[in-house]
Amino acid sequence: MGAEEKFFPGLEGVVAAETSISFLDTKQGEIVIKGYDLIELSKAHRYLDIVHLLLEESLPNEQQKREAEEKLKAEYDIPNPVFDMLKLLPEKTHPMDGLRTGLSALAGYDSQLDNCTAQANKERAYKLLGKVPNIVANSYRVIQKEALIAPLPDLSYSANFLYMITGKIPSDFEEAIFDRSLVLYSEHEMPNSTFTARVIASTMSDLYGALTGAVASLKGNLHGGANEAVMHMLLEAGSVEEFEALLESKLANKARIMGFGHRVYMKKIDPRALMMKDALKQLCDAKGDDLLYQMCEAGEKIMEREKGIYPNLDYYAAPVYWMLGIPIPLYTPIFFSARTVGLCAHVIEQHSHNRLFRPRVNYIGQRHA
């Protein structure tokens, strides 16, 4: 690397792609998805509306909504050998590793695997959107030596997902809260996992490979795994006072506190967090127990006062999922399941206007004569 070339650790601030999919407009405080503000979309639209928007370039009418739902329901089933393979994994296997294994295995059942046209990848995207919730919920059950729960054809997409996770048919209220979380997680410009998917896709590798790499990226607690860490902190504390003390202790020891801050938003609050904060309040009010809400608010105030940083989506999504009865190890796999549509849209775009990613380095090693 020449002396005139600059080094950007972590590629911070580097523009690596042109996209028409999404954009984090920090000046306007908007997450732009195909021209729409994601926060406004989350108030008026369901997850499958966002699927249609990202894959078909428009919000659906009622007939298109029904068609999309039926298309996904037709893809719910997972080949039995995939679950047989997952049964061989040890019980300590993290669900993200189970998801990675199951997702990768699905590639073997695609007879047109090397067809990377936009239309072929779009059809794969619908297949994956149908199957990933089943893999997420039931790979966890398989690893825990529990019985599989088959999706119910009469339930909506989001209700089915929650049902397969908890074993209970959710109320309309619970389904709506869960669906909103899927909307908020659906697409977010160029985080590490999306960049990973696009780098893999730039070699003209297949969609399954790109998404398998994205799973590995998302597993890290500096990315998707933060939501699990947040819930463990809340449970470790158990009360407002103890949570405040825990955060103060972590701050004093300069320990990383998950659920706060964001590479792009920096000193601004993640607007998605506000939507999940409201969802948590609604759940607490409905259940007559606002402890988690009070704890989270107290933590938010401490971090703003002491560090000038604010919650991201994971901070409030974690207690929302807890109150919906979702096991903590499934928080990040759910994040991935929601993000599947965004990842597929990025792979389709990468394949359509491809250039192989091949950066250089700033060499700091020795040179021997």
Side-chain angles (χ1 to χ4, degrees):
M1 177 178 286
E4 74 283 357
E5 297 184 70
K6 295 187 67 176
F7 171 45
F8 298 90
L11 301 183
E12 184 170 352
V14 174
V15 175
E18 289 187 337
T19 182
S20 65
I21 297 170
S22 68
F23 172 60
L24 305 186
D25 188 343
T26 55
K27 292 182 180 179
Q28 297 294 327
E30 291 184 356
I31 301 169
V32 181
I33 307 291
K34 288 292 181 180
Y36 296 92
D37 179 4
L38 178 64
I39 302 305
E40 294 306 313
L41 287 173
S42 73
K43 296 175 182 177
H45 292 275
R46 301 294 293 257
Y47 180 69
L48 292 191
D49 296 344
I50 311 305
V51 167
H52 195 278
L53 177 62
L54 286 168
L55 296 181
E56 306 293 349
E57 309 283 340
S58 66
L59 289 169
N61 58 35
E62 289 303 317
Q63 180 178 344
Q64 290 169 328
K65 289 181 184 181
R66 290 192 296 270
E67 290 173 352
E69 186 101 47
E70 291 305 314
K71 198 169 189 176
L72 294 180
K73 285 182 178 181
E75 300 294 345
Y76 279 168
D77 290 343
I78 304 296
N80 287 330
V82 173
F83 283 129
D84 291 340
M85 178 181 60
L86 291 171
K87 290 176 183 177
L88 301 176
L89 298 175
E91 289 186 36
K92 67 178 182 179
T93 301
H94 191 282
M96 284 295 279
D97 296 328
L99 170 60
R100 184 181 63 199
T101 301
L103 181 59
S104 180
L106 286 179
Y109 294 88
D110 190 329
S111 61
Q112 300 294 318
L113 185 62
D114 294 327
N115 183 349
C116 294
T117 64
Q119 185 58 38
N121 275 334
K122 187 193 296 185
E123 291 305 312
R124 281 190 194 95
Y126 282 109
K127 290 179 183 295
L128 286 164
L129 284 162
K131 296 182 187 308
V132 167
N134 195 343
I135 293 179
V136 166
N138 282 313
S139 65
Y140 177 72
R141 291 184 171 278
V142 165
I143 292 167
Q144 297 298 313
K145 312 303 181 188
E146 297 176 359
L148 300 178
I149 294 182
L152 298 177
D154 293 336
L155 293 181
S156 73
Y157 181 83
S158 296
N160 239 324
F161 194 178
L162 195 51
Y163 163 68
M164 287 188 290
I165 291 169
T166 66
K168 300 177 182 178
I169 295 177
S171 67
D172 291 345
F173 170 66
E174 292 169 328
E175 176 195 352
I177 293 290
F178 184 65
D179 186 271
R180 178 166 290 183
S181 79
L182 300 183
V183 171
L184 294 171
Y185 271 127
S186 65
E187 169 56 19
H188 205 231
E189 199 203 78
M190 193 68 78
N192 193 286
S193 53
T194 302
F195 183 57
T196 298
R198 290 194 74 133
V199 169
I200 294 171
S202 78
T203 70
M204 296 309 293
S205 185
D206 60 87
L207 182 59
Y208 302 92
L211 266 62
T212 299
V215 173
S217 168
L218 193 65
K219 181 184 176 184
N221 61 15
L222 294 186
H223 190 7
N227 50 23
E228 296 181 35
V230 169
M231 198 62 231
H232 285 302
M233 282 196 307
L234 290 166
L235 293 177
E236 179 185 347
S239 71
V240 173
E241 294 74 20
E242 290 181 7
F243 189 52
E244 290 174 329
L246 176 63
L247 294 184
E248 295 283 8
S249 174
K250 286 180 176 292
L251 288 170
N253 291 304
K254 300 187 184 303
R256 183 181 291 274
I257 299 175
M258 297 301 174
F260 289 92
H262 192 278
R263 177 70 67 85
V264 176
Y265 299 120
M266 302 298 281
K267 299 296 184 179
K268 298 180 180 179
I269 192 166
D270 180 343
R272 302 169 303 168
L274 294 174
M275 299 302 296
M276 276 295 95
K277 182 178 182 178
D278 179 65
L280 177 61
K281 183 67 165 62
Q282 292 180 48
L283 279 168
C284 287
D285 288 346
K287 295 180 183 293
D289 180 359
D290 69 348
L291 176 59
L292 284 174
Y293 184 81
Q294 294 298 329
M295 291 174 70
C296 286
E297 271 214 317
E300 183 179 343
K301 291 175 182 176
I302 286 177
M303 295 302 290
E304 180 182 0
R305 182 184 70 237
E306 300 296 329
K307 300 291 290 185
I309 58 176
Y310 300 88
N312 55 43
L313 174 57
D314 290 325
Y315 184 68
Y316 279 105
V320 164
Y321 285 166
W322 177 262
M323 296 198 74
L324 289 173
I326 298 172
I328 296 174
L330 287 180
Y331 292 6
T332 312
I334 290 169
F335 179 166
F336 179 85
S337 186
R339 184 61 55 84
T340 295
V341 65
L343 291 166
C344 289
H346 277 278
V347 170
I348 291 169
E349 185 177 69
Q350 184 67 41
H351 279 164
S352 298
H353 307 284
N354 191 52
R355 183 169 176 80
L356 178 70
F357 282 98
R358 204 313 186 177
R360 298 296 307 281
V361 301
N362 183 17
Y363 179 68
I364 60 172
Q366 295 182 345
R367 294 288 295 268
H368 299 284

